[in-house]
Amino acid sequence: MRASTLRVLPFLAWLPRLTRESLRVDALAGLTVALVAIPQSLAYAQLAGLPPFYGLYAALVPTVIGALFGNSAQLSTGPVALTSLLTAASIAPLAAAGSEQYVAYAIAVALLSGLFQLSFGVMRLGVLMNLLSHPVLIGFVNAAAILITLSQVPTLFGVPPPKLGHALIDTWHVLSNPRGTHGHSMAFSVVAIVARMGFRGYAPRLPGVLITVAALTALSYAIDYAGYGGRIVGDIPRGLPAFALPPFSLDAWIELLPASFVIAVISFMEAMSSAKIAAIKTATKWDENQELIGQGLAKLAAAFSQTMPVSGSFSRSALNLAAGARTGVSSIVAALCVLLTLLFFTPLLKYLPLPVLAAIIVMALTNLINLRSLRHAWRASRDDAIAALLTFAATIAFAPQIQNGIFVGILVSLGLFIYRRMRPNMAVVEPASAQLAREAPEDMSEALRGTVGVIHFDASLVFVNVSYFENAVLQLERRYPGLRFVLVSGSGINDLDASGVEMLASLCDGLRKNGIELLFSAIKPRVRSVVDRTGLTERIGAENFFLSDYAAFVALAGRTEKSSPVQGASDA
């Protein structure tokens, strides 16, 4: 089958793998995922500020589209916690949660973020996702998970959200006023959390989320929890979502563009982590650009299904992988289960307590909070740790506008990246140092002592660091009046731009006026071609280029023993 056909219709790659056995395994995997996806979808819709049934809509058509047009057979697309929180954060300043205007904005975010991802995929710009470094993602995800947890505290306690402007203040207000706690809601929250912990610890193979939801929904109905003032899901419209064009509002769309871009990037990073793990464990090739197309089309499907943005779920994808899913048929089966729920079983969800959904959200987030990763980042690189910590702090500080934390993280990481390039690793071997004796051949070290300085530069010599390199050479000249040669060991120099060429030419002329020669050894062919094309070879002198450090030391030993430079000593 042609690659161009598979790029447009990637699900055709399933056909050779479809057998009776694979269909059986995929069907069981899809059913397993659906048992988790249905209650999670209700919970994540609530997290996004939408009525819970919008989560079921998001787990229907978008799940199928993501499977058909994505690249990973195990990636489960649908509502996820982080994307839901970002959606709520981007819309909360514009409309009241749950209102018609709020729903319209959520649909617009799904459309815009989907267009971003689809465009990136079609233009094969998946590599741009690397602009979001892992430390920045660590800082953001940990902060977001904490904020999501705190946002659920009022629901867990059965009190209306205070909405005092920040999650920390809202949480403190709830915790400092225990008299307002709704006892029945608190009891349901505690039971749900304990049940989830029990299933996770002692019966992980069982659909703990579904069992917990079913049991507590039945209990809610039996004791008339709503009659005691408890908040429940309520009536869910039976049937399919309305398929229509997303409502258009130019002013609102322009205002939602930055948040939609962040959602497009963050949600794909979340999906990418799941897809990469699946690809490694199944020894299959993964195409990030095709996955971008699939995730973008899934978000567009969500917009036309009049629901919230979706993404690849880490927990449900892991469940899919553990269940042995081989193709996207498993996601289609999961979507069929959601369809049956919408058509026949919505009355059973009416009495589901909202504190139970909040408990599901909180327990799901325990997998996202990983403060150890910040410590690992510190051990690996202080710059990475700074980027992660600043992103973490900015995300907390800017709440509920948490997308600003990502912008801060990207700016900080790019700034630190540029700073590192401005001051790369460089070793200066001074003329009178013991290091020169260790680097030079033993029988030549005495002849070179006091007259030769060596520069080891481990970076491309480009506009951001030319002054750093030049200052090191000039400082060497000022400190050692008897200096006659400066040897640049160029094995670590991978590139040379116009600023580097100009600096070297000027530096060579200045040193030569003071009786000092600038020499190069072991430079790479790519760099040597730039030197030759720009006339720098003639400016510095062809006799001052050597194939290796050893060849340079041999030539320099000969030059220091004579009053004039040795001709023809070059290996160039």
Side-chain angles (χ1 to χ4, degrees), residues 238-463:
R238 181 178 293 185
L240 300 176
F243 295 94
L245 290 172
F248 177 78
S249 172
L250 182 60
D251 292 338
W253 284 22
I254 292 175
E255 193 162 0
L256 290 170
L257 269 177
S260 299
F261 174 79
V262 171
I263 289 174
V265 174
I266 293 295
S267 65
F268 184 69
M269 292 291 288
E270 189 174 14
M272 183 169 66
S273 63
S274 301
K276 280 186 174 179
I277 291 173
I280 291 170
K281 291 191 174 181
T282 58
T284 56
K285 184 181 178 181
W286 180 70
D287 184 347
E288 60 188 8
N289 293 300
Q290 187 61 53
E291 203 66 69
L292 270 170
I293 292 173
Q295 290 295 301
L297 290 175
K299 285 181 173 62
L300 294 180
F304 285 94
S305 301
Q306 307 296 291
T307 189
M308 56 194 274
V310 296
S311 182
S313 165
F314 187 86
S315 60
R316 297 195 298 273
S317 299
L319 193 59
N320 223 2
L321 182 63
R326 301 177 186 177
T327 68
V329 170
S330 61
S331 292
I332 295 175
V333 171
L336 287 174
C337 293
V338 174
L339 174 63
L340 293 175
T341 301
L342 283 168
L343 293 177
F344 303 110
F345 302 121
T346 52
L348 300 178
L349 300 172
K350 177 179 179 179
Y351 296 97
L352 173 58
L354 293 186
V356 174
L357 294 181
I360 291 173
I361 293 172
V362 169
M363 291 304 298
L365 292 173
T366 57
N367 293 326
L368 291 180
I369 299 176
N370 182 12
L371 297 180
R372 289 183 181 178
S373 57
L374 297 176
R375 188 173 64 207
H376 291 159
W378 181 265
R379 290 174 176 173
S381 168
R382 298 294 170 87
D383 288 350
D384 286 345
I386 290 171
L389 291 171
L390 287 178
T391 303
F392 180 90
T395 303
I396 296 290
F398 281 115
Q401 300 296 321
I402 63 171
Q403 63 271 18
N404 292 334
I406 280 292
F407 291 130
V408 169
I410 291 176
L411 290 175
V412 168
S413 60
L414 289 178
L416 290 171
F417 175 82
I418 293 172
Y419 178 75
R420 287 195 298 268
R421 294 302 176 272
M422 291 175 66
R423 300 178 64 84
N425 183 43
M426 178 170 61
V428 179
V429 182
E430 298 178 347
S433 69
Q435 181 64 29
L436 179 64
R438 287 193 290 269
E439 290 196 9
E442 186 175 351
D443 56 341
M444 304 176 191
S445 58
E446 282 302 318
L448 301 177
R449 182 179 293 273
T451 60
V452 178
V454 183
I455 303 286
H456 295 278
F457 196 73
D458 295 331
S460 295
L461 194 53
V462 292
F463 70 99

Side-chain angles (χ1 to χ4, degrees), residues 148 475 493 499:
I148 295 172
Q475 187 177 12
I493 302 176
S499 299

Side-chain angles (χ1 to χ4, degrees), residues 196-238:
R196 287 292 297 118
M197 292 176 66
F199 278 111
R200 182 179 294 180
Y202 298 102
R205 293 183 177 274
L206 294 179
V209 176
L210 184 68
I211 294 173
T212 302
V213 166
L216 293 181
T217 300
L219 179 60
S220 168
Y221 174 77
I223 68 171
D224 191 19
Y225 168 70
Y228 287 99
R231 298 169 61 206
I232 59 175
V233 168
D235 293 322
I236 295 178
R238 181 178 293 185

